[in-house]
Amino acid sequence: MIDTTVTTTSLPYADAVPGAVAAADEWGIVVNADKLVELALYLRNNEGFDYLSSLTAVDYLGFKDRSEADRFELVYHLFDTQKGGDGIVLKVRLPEAKPEVDSLIKVYPGADLQEREAYDLYGIRFNGHPRLRRIILWEGFNGHPMRKDWKEAYHEAEHKPYKSRWPVGHFQWAEDRVPWGDNISYPQGFDPDAFERPPTPLPIIHEPPEGSNYIKTERIVVNMGPQHPSTHGVFRMIVALDGETVVGLEPEVGYLHRNHEKIGERNTWLANIPYTDRLDYLSSMSNNFGYVLAVEKLMGDKGKPPERAEYLRVIMAEFTRIANHTWTIGFFLNDLGAFYTPALYAIEERELILDLFEAATGSRMMCNYMRFGGVVRDVDEDWLRRARDIVFKRLDRKIDELDAYLTGNEILMARCVGVGHLSAADAIALSAAGPVLRGSGVPYDVRRARPYGIYDRFDFDVVADDGCDVYARYKVRLGEIRQSVRILKQALDQIPEGPVRNGKPSYVTRVAKGEAYGAVEGPKGELGFYVVSDGSDNPWRYHVRAPSYINLNTLEPSAVGYKIADAIITLGAIDIVLGETDR
């Protein structure tokens, strides 16, 4: 609820930019749309908020006390990479009739893909954005599916569980239902039979500097993907080439999009946990962790996990980091052309960790383990013994061997050192996270900057490398495996006895009205969940701050000027998973 008891002059930063701050509440500062860029510039330059982590939109159509004049709300989460801390939340309210605002891309270039996503899914225009077009859906798609009044074919109800299936259980064959009905309507004057898809947009061409020793040749445009063995899934790079040199690159996503967030707003709070498994499907434990943290903030004391559950969460999250990074290194070697032996060697340790996950959860990848207020079940002494064997007797030695085989390898160094350069300033500006950010020398880790769970109890180092290239990103991941082992040793030694759940299992979760942002340092970087509750059994808004998606902001600037073969390893060093990228 907006605090109307304070005067305008007492509002945060009201004096910094006159007329910018309209109101404030416990969840953020409401900013007048015409002053957004000016206030953001002040916060970046004068208050240290140099990092735009998350940008998303909310449709408040039908929400109590909200009108057509402020139907849409843009939400910006800003942080300080030097000091850490909880950061600041800016909100801009936009009318139903004309939802548009100036783009923040010149203040925070990392707004690029996030603004395009909000435009695509909500129809909010960002004036001044250099390439404001759909990013996830195709250009001929009608409507903006995250809006509350958009309904898909075969739409049954706003929220699950659907009455046709539970508890009544009536079933109706799809062909007996009217598929479209009133759910889909074409814009006035639109003829689907006559529609011609617009031509593929060409990437922005980056000309070499004047006076450089450069011979210009004929430019060609090459499509790499979406069916390509080195794009890590159904991902497409539209690449402009001058000879073999990349002079332009446009990432094209959406081939795996299933509107995860729309599904999340129809699920119950609890039912979303297994859906998070399917984001970065190599890191399901971390995905569970971030989501339950966000919801627990709205649950208060009822959402506080017992001590043993806190330790189990950290143990599972750090095992996940090791499993992800060994997998990433193995794939990275494959991208370099090092087939079979080195790649399989890196992946071997992951299989042992997945054995532990299977023993604890019944699944190797889709673990569905975390719960609000704890975890779904405890582990026994045999599980802890096996975990200790892997951590204390095996992982250090195996990582030393991997380090010895790879880090000084002259072929790997020749291909990686100096390739995919991304400066520290650019990495921060582009909202890079995880090893991509720390591989540019920025020691920013959510576990240290904004500690969650019980991470403040453990002794570990934030691994960073100022090489600013793909080799540095590889070394950061190797170093993070060592730090995860270090954390696991402490956690396995300290884990207490006791319950693993606060309260009894329940299908219905009581969540207070409000909003929260919960984030973890996932293997690929900051994985955040922004949730809004209207006090019901389902989220009003459910948004995923996906590092696999936002880190793609860095692909073009770190690939341009290098060879086409280097674009493959530059993408590999970002480490995307399309389930999380497309959502």
Side-chain angles (χ1 to χ4, degrees):
M1 181 178 294
I2 297 298
D3 184 359
T4 57
T5 63
V6 294
T7 63
T8 304
T9 54
S10 68
L11 292 171
Y13 307 108
D15 296 332
V17 180
V21 180
D25 60 22
E26 61 183 293
W27 300 295
I29 299 171
V30 180
V31 181
N32 290 317
D34 60 340
K35 297 287 187 176
L36 173 65
V37 174
E38 191 177 351
L39 180 61
L41 195 61
Y42 171 84
L43 292 172
R44 188 196 69 181
N45 295 346
N46 299 89
E47 299 294 335
F49 294 111
D50 56 351
Y51 188 72
L52 171 63
S53 173
S54 175
L55 185 169
T56 191
V58 184
D59 182 359
Y60 281 100
L61 179 68
F63 198 90
K64 187 178 180 181
D65 300 328
R66 296 298 286 262
S67 65
E68 291 183 3
D70 58 0
R71 171 180 172 179
F72 298 102
E73 186 168 277
L74 291 170
V75 184
Y76 304 79
H77 286 86
L78 309 179
F79 296 100
D80 185 334
T81 59
Q82 299 297 316
K83 298 178 182 177
D86 291 335
I88 189 172
V89 180
L90 302 183
K91 300 180 177 185
V92 177
R93 294 178 174 175
L94 302 173
E96 179 180 291
K98 194 177 182 182
E100 62 179 60
V101 68
D102 289 341
S103 170
L104 275 191
I105 199 167
K106 290 184 178 180
V107 182
Y108 297 107
D112 184 0
L113 295 180
Q114 299 187 73
E115 287 184 347
R116 287 182 64 185
E117 181 182 358
Y119 165 72
D120 193 352
L121 300 181
Y122 282 92
I124 297 172
R125 298 198 63 84
F126 296 88
N127 299 325
H129 193 292
R131 43 188 174 190
L132 191 64
R133 55 180 179 271
R134 290 191 184 271
I135 179 68
I136 293 175
L137 303 170
W138 65 294
E139 288 296 334
F141 190 92
N142 178 46
H144 305 283
M146 284 303 296
R147 291 189 174 191
K148 292 295 184 181
D149 53 359
W150 188 94
K151 295 178 174 61
E152 76 284 2
Y154 298 105
H155 172 82
E156 288 192 45
E158 288 299 324
H159 296 132
K160 296 179 181 177
Y162 297 145
K163 295 296 187 293
S164 63
R165 305 177 195 179
W166 184 91
V168 180
H170 293 311
F171 180 79
Q172 188 178 20
W173 294 103
E175 56 263 34
D176 294 334
R177 287 185 275 166
V178 178
W180 305 107
D182 296 328
N183 296 346
I184 303 296
S185 60
Y186 294 118
Q188 188 174 4
F190 178 80
D191 182 358
D193 297 325
F195 176 79
E196 293 184 8
R197 184 168 183 166
T200 298
L202 297 179
I204 298 171
I205 302 297
H206 299 263
E207 299 290 351
E210 299 239 352
S212 59
N213 186 17
Y214 174 78
I215 301 174
K216 184 175 180 178
T217 63
E218 182 181 356
R219 269 77 182 273
I220 61 171
V221 175
V222 175
N223 284 292
M224 299 188 67
Q227 288 82 29
H228 192 286
S230 293
T231 54
H232 294 247
V234 281
F235 172 73
R236 176 185 177 202
M237 292 189 288
I238 307 169
V239 187
L241 297 175
D242 192 336
E244 289 190 27
T245 302
V246 177
V247 293
L249 188 149
E250 177 91 10
E252 187 82 4
V253 303
Y255 297 95
L256 201 61
H257 178 64
R258 66 272 194 202
N259 215 342
H260 173 98
E261 295 180 8
K262 187 81 167 183
I263 295 170
E265 292 175 8
R266 291 184 177 167
N267 284 336
T268 62
W269 294 100
L270 179 66
N272 273 332
I273 295 176
Y275 279 80
T276 67
D277 290 337
R278 286 139 176 95
L279 290 165
D280 173 6
Y281 39 76
L282 303 180
S283 306
S284 72
M285 291 286 199
S286 290
N287 303 345
N288 289 178
F289 201 175
Y291 174 61
V292 298
L293 282 176
V295 179
E296 284 168 356
K297 288 183 177 181
L298 295 175
M299 295 176 66
D301 290 341
K302 292 181 179 179
K304 184 173 176 54
E307 281 285 293
R308 185 173 175 88
E310 293 275 28
Y311 277 88
L312 286 172
R313 286 181 173 188
V314 169
I315 289 167
M316 297 305 185
E318 294 309 315
F319 269 134
T320 297
R321 195 178 319 279
I322 296 171
N324 182 93
H325 285 350
T326 52
W327 192 247
T328 301
I329 291 171
F331 271 131
F332 184 66
L333 294 170
N334 196 52
D335 291 339
L336 285 166
F339 289 105
Y340 302 120
T341 305
L344 290 175
Y345 187 91
I347 292 167
E348 182 180 5
E349 306 312 306
R350 176 178 180 268
E351 291 302 307
L352 298 176
I353 293 172
L354 296 192
D355 286 343
L356 290 175
F357 288 172
E358 185 175 15
T361 73
S363 176
R364 299 179 73 79
M365 292 180 68
M366 307 303 162
C367 296
N368 187 20
Y369 185 63
M370 310 277 178
R371 290 294 183 272
F372 309 130
V375 297
V376 68
R377 66 181 63 86
D378 203 350
V379 296
D380 58 22
E381 284 304 314
D382 182 59
W383 190 97
L384 290 171
R385 179 186 60 79
R386 291 176 182 273
R388 291 177 63 86
D389 284 346
I390 292 173
V391 170
F392 285 89
K393 299 179 182 179
R394 182 181 177 100
L395 282 176
D396 282 329
R397 173 170 50 86
K398 287 295 184 179
I399 299 308
D400 285 343
E401 291 178 10
L402 194 64
D403 191 359
Y405 291 153
L406 297 178
T407 305
N409 182 285
E410 61 183 279
I411 300 175
L412 186 142
M413 295 182 71
R415 286 294 311 278
C416 297
V417 174
V419 173
H421 183 268
L422 184 71
S423 70
D426 286 345
I428 294 170
L430 291 165
S431 301
V436 178
L437 178 63
R438 293 187 288 275
S440 292
V442 182
Y444 184 80
D445 185 311
V446 179
R447 293 172 296 175
R448 277 278 185 255
R450 315 194 304 271
Y452 54 92
I454 55 171
Y455 272 104
D456 55 355
R457 302 182 188 179
F458 300 112
D459 183 24
F460 67 97
D461 298 324
V462 175
V463 181
D465 190 294
D466 61 3
C468 302
D469 53 17
V470 297
Y471 186 62
R473 289 157 218 158
Y474 152 75
K475 288 198 294 180
V476 165
R477 290 186 174 96
L478 198 65
E480 287 188 356
I481 294 174
R482 296 188 188 281
Q483 295 304 314
S484 289
V485 173
R486 188 175 168 189
I487 293 171
L488 283 167
K489 287 178 179 178
Q490 298 170 68
L492 288 167
D493 277 344
Q494 298 171 16
I495 185 169
E497 296 293 334
V500 296
R501 190 81 172 262
N502 181 351
K504 297 179 180 179
S506 173
Y507 182 78
V508 177
T509 304
R510 300 299 177 190
V511 175
K513 186 176 180 180
E515 57 192 80
Y517 179 70
V520 296
E521 184 63 44
K524 293 169 174 60
E526 181 175 338
L527 172 67
F529 290 84
Y530 174 68
V531 293
V532 177
S533 169
D534 62 351
S536 70
D537 299 341
N538 307 74
W540 182 272
R541 178 72 175 104
Y542 165 85
H543 171 66
V544 183
R545 191 266 184 216
S548 289
Y549 178 71
I550 298 174
N551 280 346
L552 284 174
N553 280 316
T554 68
L555 181 58
E556 178 189 21
S558 56
V560 167
Y562 297 94
K563 302 300 182 184
I564 184 64
D566 297 330
I568 296 298
I569 62 172
T570 300
L571 175 64
I574 293 176
D575 182 24
I576 63 171
V577 163
L578 269 298
E580 181 181 88
T581 301
D582 287 4
R583 284 157 289 140

